Amino acid sequence: MDALPNFDLVRPRTLDELVAARRSHRDSRLLGGGTDLMVNIRRGIVAPPVLIDVNGVAELRAVKADAQSLEIGAAATLSEVAAHPDVIKHYPVVAQAAAHIAGPTHRNMGTVGGNLALDTRCIFYNQSEWWRDANNHCLKTTGTICHVAPKSRGVCFATFSGDLAPALLTLDAEIGIVGPAGARTMPLAALYIGYARQDEPVTETRGDGKYFLALRPGEFIAAVRAGNTPGLRSAYDKIRIRRSIEYPVAGVAVALRRDGQTLADLRVAFTGTNPRPVRLAGTAALCGGALDDRVWKGLDALVRDQIMAMKTTFTPGHYRRRVAAVLARRLTARLFAG
Ligand SMILES: Cc1cc2nc3c(=O)[nH]c(=O)nc-3n(C[C@H](O)[C@H](O)[C@H](O)COP(=O)(O)OP(=O)(O)OC[C@H]3O[C@@H](n4cnc5c(N)ncnc54)[C@H](O)[C@@H]3O)c2cc1C
Ligand code: SF4
């Protein structure tokens, strides 16, 4: 491990102070639990001169959940979310996803905002400075080539691996964003722009593993909100190499409604595969009938089309895609059975 570089720490107490701190320190980074950011700083991947600690801002710490709606402040910890009785009762997919993240000490420190804005990962990126230097770095830092896809023409495929995002995507969540120009709200799905298409240049609205969040300079996530859908059953599961303290090989959130023997609604979202969490498009066409072979084949086809795992982890891409499909089937069958 490398030594930590010097940085200043700012500790705002209110949302206004936080916005002001962001405005005066343009190169600053927000510090949630630091469970990912501090690792990247120590590895020399990033070196922000100023860190702004969000944990003292009371407005960002609340978790409110009831049968109608869910609202979680960006500085709420993962442990708080995982243990909240009304999140467990009304939004099980969110509580389960939070409980699946890293280990207990990370969850005590790690925040919802930090998890939603988690940096994308790659075996050529999450390495020490000397290791990356020995490999001439890569596009996501200061290099000129992608080692995963050398013919990628400027596109990075680093993988989004946060566990909370897919869970919240199945609930059609939206996020509150605050920045120097004021506050705005957007669908959580619109936050993630890591499309990473080799045949498309990276733009402001369609990015890759390097430009994967639609946050403007100085903006940060303040809260995430979702409504409840009566009768929706939901769950989260993931496969990881070690059974604890581990990023997902693939993580899957499923939410569905059953009306008698009919599959009335099906929502499936993934993490650990693409440079963005993917809410599977096209599942509505699988609903309206029994949970039969047509659904399983359709689900497999959608995963094949939309899940694009590359060799960014030690686990091969095609294996992660297969695991994603198997988990989606298992969760769907389990939730449908009740
Ligand atoms: C051994 C290990 C295992 C891990 N396993 C998992 C895992 O299984 N699943 C998983 O999802 N993660 C995992 N992580 C990553 C990390 O612990 C979690 O994702 C955690 O939720 C990150 O939250 P944090 O508050 O610590 O983020 P930080 O490290 O503080 O920040 C992460 C990023 O988010 C930015 N940020 C923080 N708050 C905000 C905000 N409000 N708005 C905008 N940007 C913000 C920071 O500037 C930084 O870029 C693991 C980490 C380690 C070290
Ligand atoms: S996918 Fe390519 S550019 Fe992106 S981090 Fe990995 S090696 Fe670097």
Side-chain angles (χ1 to χ4, degrees), residues 183-322:
R184 63 185 178 121
T185 299
M186 65 154 88
L188 177 63
L191 176 68
Y192 299 108
I193 56 166
Y195 287 89
R197 297 279 311 233
Q198 295 216 37
D199 50 352
E200 279 179 16
V202 170
T203 66
E204 239 178 58
T205 50
R206 289 180 72 83
D208 63 352
K210 182 169 179 173
Y211 301 104
F212 64 98
L213 291 180
L215 290 178
R216 297 176 192 141
E219 282 190 333
F220 58 88
I221 301 166
V224 60
R225 292 179 276 269
N228 201 357
T229 305
L232 198 70
R233 305 169 180 183
S234 67
Y236 185 79
D237 201 0
K238 79 193 222 191
I239 296 287
R240 43 190 160 180
I241 302 296
R242 296 174 292 193
R243 290 188 66 194
S244 64
I245 318 186
E246 189 71 288
Y247 291 92
V249 165
V252 183
V254 174
L256 62 78
R257 268 187 315 110
R258 176 177 176 165
D259 185 4
Q261 290 309 310
T262 300
L263 178 65
D265 188 359
L266 177 64
R267 311 165 186 187
V268 186
F270 298 92
T271 189
T273 55
N274 298 38
R276 68 189 166 99
V278 177
R279 165 94 181 254
L280 218 53
T283 52
L286 307 178
C287 300
L291 188 66
D292 55 15
D293 225 34
R294 184 188 66 91
V295 176
W296 300 132
K297 283 188 178 140
L299 197 53
D300 281 351
L302 295 178
V303 171
R304 262 199 315 276
D305 281 356
Q306 296 169 49
I307 297 307
M308 186 202 67
M310 302 282 281
K311 183 81 183 73
T312 51
T313 71
F314 289 111
T315 315
H318 67 272
Y319 175 75
R320 276 148 63 211
R321 188 158 63 169
R322 287 184 68 178

Side-chain angles (χ1 to χ4, degrees), residues 29-39 54 74 78 100-103 106 109-115 117-119 161-164 215 219-222 238 240 242 245-248:
R29 291 287 283 266
L30 251 60
L31 178 71
T35 59
D36 191 59
L37 182 59
M38 295 312 293
V39 179
V54 299
L78 302 168
H100 274 82
I101 295 168
H106 300 99
M109 294 293 292
T111 63
V112 168
N115 192 258
L118 185 66
D119 196 5
S161 302
D163 284 291
L164 272 184
L215 290 178
E219 282 190 333
F220 58 88
I221 301 166
K238 79 193 222 191
R240 43 190 160 180
R242 296 174 292 193
I245 318 186
E246 189 71 288
Y247 291 92

Side-chain angles (χ1 to χ4, degrees), residues 10-25 30 52-54 56-60 177-183 218 220 222:
V10 178
R11 290 194 155 133
R13 292 278 152 205
T14 65
L15 203 51
D16 287 345
E17 283 180 23
L18 172 48
V19 174
R22 274 300 250 176
R23 199 177 281 124
S24 15
H25 303 288
L30 251 60
I52 302 176
D53 181 352
V54 299
V57 181
E59 293 114 299
L60 299 182
I177 294 171
V178 176
F220 58 88

